[in-house]
Amino acid sequence: MRETAATVVENRDLSAGVHLLRLRNAAVCDGHQAGRFVMIGAGEVVGGGPPSPMLRRPFSVQRVDGDVFEILYRVVGVGTDRMARMVPGQIVPVLGPLGSAFSQPAPEERAVLLGGGVGIPPMVALADALVASGHRAWTAYLGVGSSADAGCFVGFERGPAATGAVVRASMDGSVGLRGNVVQAWLADRAQAAPQRERVYACGPMAMLRAVARTCAELGVPAQVSVETMMGCGVGICMGCVIENRAYAEGDAAARAAMSPYDRWLMACIKGPVFDATEVVLDDGGLLH
């Protein structure tokens, strides 16, 4: 992790307020692993000017290409609106890469990648990593609300991730299958020969709860990348805590023995990637 600055290479509107931002910084690219994230200063000025009152925004790194990394974001507030105005050549403050990464599946395991909306980027990074490692047994199930959000699929339309099996779904049926990614995965699973699987997921908290519940019922190991409120990215503000399931489900003695730092796990340090059985997937959202 390091405090650095990156140069904007491209900032493309993919439709419906979804943007692809590509930034050049070799140090961030060198430290990247699938699942890790960066904090981007949307309102800061590099090299002078008054300090910005805006907190930095956390975004998963979608892809690394040489010394250029990219993120996918949706314009929903003041911070992301400022990001949408970034132009090529602009210097942007960046902190990262930060957080934990996905573990690799065993050679005999089929990797199931579940991505919803702007939660798809970590699945792009993981697919790229699987291809690079030679692991070919994987399928990505990608979901959006409607065809208006189809820009979220961009990472799987090129690069290493485009070489694998990809199933698209939308809630209204305007793109791919009608329904959500869990339904799409289970429909395929019902028709396939039994095999060992490992699930990876990122998306809205309701989707992650469904993933965790389904995987627990099926006995399938799962890792989830959570999106939470986050102010600093380095464990100082404690704004990104998520409850430890061992505390939530423990008896009085077990709870009394746990420190606050064990009860509440900071997503910026302990995550954002967690074993789905270890945390309480409560409602949360990115800070925009």
Side-chain angles (χ1 to χ4, degrees):
M1 180 272 290
R2 67 170 62 192
E3 175 77 31
T4 185
T7 304
V8 176
V9 175
E10 180 184 16
N11 194 12
R12 179 161 35 115
D13 188 345
L14 301 175
S15 77
V18 176
H19 288 245
L20 179 71
L21 177 63
R22 302 180 69 239
L23 299 155
R24 176 169 284 112
N25 182 285
V28 171
C29 294
D30 289 344
H32 169 68
Q33 293 176 286
R36 303 191 76 190
F37 68 98
V38 293
M39 299 289 292
I40 294 182
E44 298 180 47
V45 177
V46 174
S52 171
M54 296 176 62
L55 296 174
R56 297 187 181 190
R57 272 58 177 170
F59 296 97
S60 296
V61 174
Q62 174 167 274
R63 170 166 287 138
V64 165
D65 183 7
D67 64 350
V68 173
F69 68 96
E70 65 185 42
I71 65 169
L72 189 80
Y73 67 97
R74 186 191 302 277
V75 178
V76 296
V78 175
T80 45
D81 179 69
R82 289 197 180 193
M83 288 177 59
R85 302 173 191 273
M86 292 176 179
V87 296
Q90 184 173 342
I91 307 300
V92 179
V94 175
L95 181 65
L98 303 167
S100 58
F102 292 111
S103 64
Q104 288 281 314
E108 66 277 11
E109 290 179 324
R110 173 179 178 252
V112 177
L113 283 54
L114 306 177
V118 289
I120 291 175
M123 300 300 104
V124 176
L126 180 57
D128 284 356
L130 292 175
V131 173
S133 70
H135 192 99
R136 303 295 179 182
W138 63 269
T139 303
Y141 297 87
L142 315 175
V144 294
S146 70
S147 58
D149 299 316
C152 295
F153 299 141
V154 66
F156 279 93
E157 294 171 353
R158 55 186 172 79
T163 66
V166 178
V167 177
R168 292 171 173 80
S170 57
M171 295 305 295
D172 66 357
S174 58
V175 177
L177 303 175
R178 179 185 294 273
N180 61 52
V181 294
V182 176
Q183 292 169 328
W185 165 47
L186 293 179
D188 272 2
R189 193 175 192 269
Q191 300 177 31
Q195 58 187 312
R196 286 184 58 184
E197 295 174 302
R198 183 173 295 272
V199 168
Y200 304 87
C202 184
M205 201 62 79
M207 170 191 150
L208 298 186
R209 284 197 294 270
V211 170
R213 181 177 61 252
T214 301
C215 288
E217 293 171 353
L218 296 175
V220 176
Q223 290 185 320
V224 295
S225 176
V226 300
E227 299 177 341
T228 67
M229 299 289 283
M230 193 175 292
C232 70
V234 294
I236 297 174
C237 72
M238 299 190 70
C240 63
V241 293
I242 186 166
E243 192 171 15
N244 189 337
R245 185 172 294 278
Y247 179 88
E249 299 180 354
D251 58 25
R255 291 188 176 196
M258 296 181 73
S259 76
Y261 293 98
D262 292 325
R263 173 183 177 180
W264 297 103
L265 306 176
M266 288 180 281
C268 63
I269 295 176
K270 298 292 187 178
V273 176
F274 292 98
D275 185 296
T277 64
E278 294 179 348
V279 291
V280 177
L281 295 168
D282 202 354
D283 287 325
L286 281 176
L287 179 63
H288 296 284

